[in-house]
Amino acid sequence: LNETALKEDLKFYFMNPCEKYRARRQIPWKLALQILKILMVTTQLIFFGLSNQLVVSFKEENTIAFKHLFLKGYSGVDEDDYSCSIYTQQHAYDSIFYVINQYKELKNISLGTLGYEHEGSGLKICKQQYKKGTMLPSSDTLNIDVSTETECIFFKPQELAGKKAELKLNSSFFNLEFYRLIQVEISFKLKGIALQTIHARELPDCYAFQNTITFNNRAHSGKIKIYFDSDTDIQECKDWHIFGSVLQKNTQYILAFDGFVILSCFASLILCTRSIVLALKLQKRFVNYFLEKYKRHVCHADRLEFINGWYVLVIISDVMTIIGSILKMEIKAKNLTSYDVCSILLGTSTLLVWVGVIRYLGYFQTYNVLILTMQASLPKVLRFCCCAGMIYLGYTFCGWIVLGPYHEKFEDLNTVAECLFSLVNGDDMFATFAQIQQKSTLVWVFSRLYLYSFISLFIYMILSLFIALITDSYDTIKKYQQSGFPVTDLHEFLKDHGSVGYRKEQTSMPFICCC
């Protein structure tokens, strides 16, 4: 009797939702809830994405506006990783005083909703330089103290038009000795309000822009690179009054929808957690029965059959969706401004929700090939990637140290790794060959040997073997589908058990099971 009950429970556990309904008239609540959740989570993500798009565009457009406002002679296009460059001392002085003057006249020249930070803010200029010394390049003479000193000067917005600011501008601070100057850093903070969100029926955000302009002379090569960095912080507006009932009602509707998403995910979380707990109890029953009757332990593979990875995936997705939805509601109500954290949580949870759809496609043999092939090939692929990764790292370090001084794509380790990955995928090959500087014949010849050997090894051999591993797993799965999968102890235990005790009559069923 115990064996029959155990077999019936095991048989029922490994059924799909529609088979469970036919057997015991158990309505597939989890299936219906997952389908509903896919629609709601995706809709929620689209709403948040459209809102986040306004934030991103406001940040980017303000950064471009700041560069045109404060960088003298800015062309509109960054030269490299820096915005622009200067080559004479007069240009350096002009650029520094240009920033000060533009900051002074900001309210008269800016097209945006910008203002000064009032609480102890202002324009801060710091210069970093080597300590006193002498340098005579014509006679190859250098006498300098490499320890650095930093000197700063501060301008408040309200004093820029007065005599005090004029005295500061004429002080010795601005007598720059370029042979020992390392960098000049100008930093200031501005406030702004994004009104474009009102057109999207959302409450506006208040922004704080921490801008830093760096005149980098570390190389002392005759070229000073000017870097512009704007760190944007979204803050809660302290005192705002928006008139118009449409805006308020739209916010309330979205908050109500987010609350419904949280309830749905919470229900899904409870159902999936309950299923895992029941599965672990059933596993324990089977292991104990098998040990008692056959005097041996159940193999590891059979134990894993009880752990449904899809339920774990759904639980992770539900937790991330609940946390992300709470953050989204707080952002919508303008109590929080953690857009990045919220976008990561909602984006990842939506990814996992859609990946979970594969589980229901897996009930059909035609669609199940992808899942089974991935499961069969994953261990072999991981072992293969470990071996190939050693070769890849070797090429990465070699290219960085040898070709770094002669090729912009090999200047740092991260760029080298990205360049080699692009070559493996057949991207940008000719440009990589052509951009090598021919200043050293030996390095030029080495670069050819390096690139040809890497491309030949990874594309023709390693990548082909990688595809062969997956193809081999696919062929194995196809053969198993035709001749039958290997029988484990669990399958052998259930093989001779029919559907005793289950109701087989084909009465009315939910529409989704008919589909």
Side-chain angles (χ1 to χ4, degrees):
L1 184 61
N2 290 335
E3 180 177 346
T4 303
L6 178 60
K7 285 185 177 182
E8 288 182 358
D9 291 340
L10 289 172
K11 190 84 172 180
F12 183 77
Y13 174 75
F14 290 107
M15 288 180 177
N16 64 47
C18 295
E19 291 173 341
K20 289 181 179 179
Y21 178 81
R22 296 190 187 102
R24 294 184 181 177
R25 290 296 180 267
Q26 177 174 305
I27 299 176
W29 294 111
K30 287 195 293 293
L31 173 60
L33 189 58
Q34 295 307 315
I35 295 175
L36 177 64
K37 196 176 71 174
I38 288 173
L39 298 176
M40 292 192 301
V41 169
T42 305
T43 304
Q44 181 191 47
L45 184 74
I46 292 174
F47 285 146
F48 181 74
L50 294 174
S51 176
N52 199 24
Q53 187 176 341
L54 297 177
V55 175
V56 173
S57 64
F58 186 77
K59 290 181 181 179
E60 292 179 349
E61 291 173 6
N62 271 276
T63 300
I64 295 173
F66 290 149
K67 290 181 179 180
H68 282 280
L69 279 173
F70 297 106
L71 300 183
K72 185 177 176 63
Y74 179 65
S75 64
V77 179
D78 290 352
E79 295 185 10
D80 195 359
D81 59 337
Y82 51 92
S83 298
C84 55
S85 55
I86 51 179
Y87 299 90
T88 65
Q89 295 184 14
Q90 187 60 44
H91 284 159
Y93 285 116
D94 290 344
S95 299
I96 293 173
F97 288 118
Y98 182 81
V99 175
I100 299 173
N101 185 65
Q102 293 293 96
Y103 181 78
K104 172 186 173 182
E105 301 292 336
L106 178 66
K107 292 185 177 180
N108 299 325
I109 61 176
S110 173
L111 297 174
T113 55
L114 296 174
Y116 301 115
E117 172 76 29
H118 295 294
E119 299 177 0
S121 69
L123 188 74
K124 184 179 180 182
I125 305 176
C126 295
K127 64 178 182 179
Q128 184 184 22
Q129 57 190 5
Y130 297 116
K131 290 188 175 180
K132 287 289 185 180
T134 58
M135 183 173 61
L136 299 172
S138 57
S139 60
D140 299 330
T141 302
L142 175 65
N143 180 19
I144 194 169
D145 187 352
V146 294
S147 57
T148 61
E149 59 182 7
T150 302
E151 186 179 353
C152 297
I153 193 169
F154 188 79
F155 295 92
K156 291 186 177 180
Q158 59 270 22
E159 69 179 20
L160 279 171
K163 292 184 178 180
K164 188 175 181 181
E166 187 176 348
L167 291 174
K168 288 183 179 180
L169 292 173
N170 294 326
S171 65
S172 60
F173 176 86
F174 291 98
N175 295 329
L176 304 177
E177 295 176 298
F178 289 91
Y179 77 92
R180 66 190 187 99
L181 178 69
I182 299 174
Q183 71 176 25
V184 175
E185 185 177 279
I186 304 176
S187 59
F188 53 93
K189 193 171 185 179
L190 300 175
K191 286 294 194 72
I193 300 176
L195 296 179
Q196 64 176 342
T197 55
I198 295 179
H199 300 289
R201 297 183 177 182
E202 294 186 16
L203 298 175
D205 288 317
C206 292
Y207 290 78
F209 302 96
Q210 181 62 52
N211 300 317
T212 304
I213 303 173
T214 304
F215 296 79
N216 192 325
N217 191 41
R218 292 181 181 274
H220 289 86
S221 60
K223 174 181 179 179
I224 294 181
K225 300 177 182 178
I226 303 178
Y227 295 85
F228 184 91
D229 179 63
S230 182
D231 186 14
T232 307
D233 183 26
I234 306 175
Q235 301 177 345
E236 179 185 354
C237 294
K238 297 180 180 178
D239 186 20
W240 51 269
H241 301 280
I242 305 295
F243 301 99
S245 59
V246 176
L247 189 63
Q248 300 290 344
K249 288 181 179 179
N250 183 69
T251 302
Q252 292 172 0
Y253 291 152
I254 294 179
L255 290 176
F257 178 76
D258 291 336
F260 188 60
V261 171
I262 292 175
L263 291 177
S264 301
C265 291
F266 192 71
S268 172
L269 177 64
I270 293 175
L271 290 175
C272 291
T273 304
R274 172 180 170 273
S275 297
I276 290 180
V277 172
L278 294 177
L280 292 175
K281 291 181 178 179
L282 185 61
Q283 180 199 62
K284 186 177 180 181
R285 285 176 57 195
F286 175 69
V287 170
N288 293 337
Y289 178 82
F290 204 82
L291 181 62
E292 180 182 346
K293 182 173 182 179
Y294 299 102
K295 306 303 180 183
R296 57 191 179 95
H297 294 281
V298 177
C299 65
H300 185 66
D302 280 343
R303 289 174 180 266
L304 290 179
E305 288 280 346
F306 291 87
I307 308 299
N308 195 323
W310 297 111
Y311 288 157
V312 177
L313 190 72
V314 171
I315 289 174
I316 296 174
S317 172
D318 289 336
V319 171
M320 298 182 75
T321 303
I322 291 172
I323 298 175
S325 298
I326 293 173
L327 291 178
K328 181 178 178 293
M329 295 175 70
E330 292 295 316
I331 291 172
K332 193 70 180 177
K334 303 306 175 186
N335 296 325
L336 287 178
T337 55
S338 307
Y339 275 91
D340 292 337
V341 177
C342 184
S343 60
I344 290 173
L345 290 172
L346 291 182
T348 307
S349 65
T350 307
L351 168 65
L352 297 180
V353 165
W354 279 98
V355 170
V357 176
I358 302 177
R359 177 201 175 198
Y360 301 106
L361 295 178
Y363 295 140
F364 306 96
Q365 184 175 347
T366 308
Y367 297 99
N368 201 28
V369 176
L370 174 62
I371 304 173
L372 296 177
T373 303
M374 290 174 62
Q375 290 176 345
S377 62
L378 185 61
K380 293 184 289 185
V381 167
L382 290 178
R383 289 192 293 268
F384 181 81
C385 287
C386 289
C387 298
M390 301 300 110
I391 305 175
Y392 189 86
L393 285 175
Y395 270 94
T396 301
F397 286 114
C398 178
W400 173 53
I401 198 66
V402 178
L403 303 181
Y406 301 93
H407 201 300
E408 63 177 4
K409 293 184 179 180
F410 291 84
E411 289 180 351
D412 58 76
L413 277 173
N414 185 49
T415 308
V416 176
E418 293 171 354
C419 175
L420 295 181
F421 188 78
S422 299
L423 290 176
V424 171
N425 291 277
D427 182 34
D428 216 18
M429 283 192 182
F430 178 76
T432 305
F433 276 95
Q435 290 177 8
I436 188 71
Q437 300 177 16
Q438 300 186 22
K439 294 181 179 180
S440 172
T441 305
L442 179 62
V443 174
W444 185 86
V445 173
F446 178 85
S447 70
R448 264 48 194 168
L449 295 174
Y450 173 86
L451 292 174
Y452 278 122
S453 63
F454 176 82
I455 292 171
S456 301
L457 179 63
F458 271 82
I459 292 183
Y460 302 134
M461 184 178 293
I462 293 179
L463 194 58
S464 298
L465 288 173
F466 183 84
I467 296 173
L469 287 175
I470 301 175
T471 305
D472 179 65
S473 298
Y474 174 78
D475 292 337
T476 303
I477 295 301
K478 293 294 290 184
K479 184 169 62 177
Y480 283 161
Q481 287 183 333
Q482 294 172 0
S483 60
F485 286 84
V487 179
T488 64
D489 291 335
L490 177 61
H491 298 152
E492 188 71 28
F493 182 73
L494 296 174
K495 186 172 62 173
D496 299 327
H497 181 69
S499 298
V500 179
Y502 298 151
R503 294 190 295 175
K504 303 287 288 186
E505 57 270 23
Q506 300 294 325
T507 56
S508 60
M509 294 180 293
F511 174 74
I512 190 169
C513 289
C514 294
C515 294

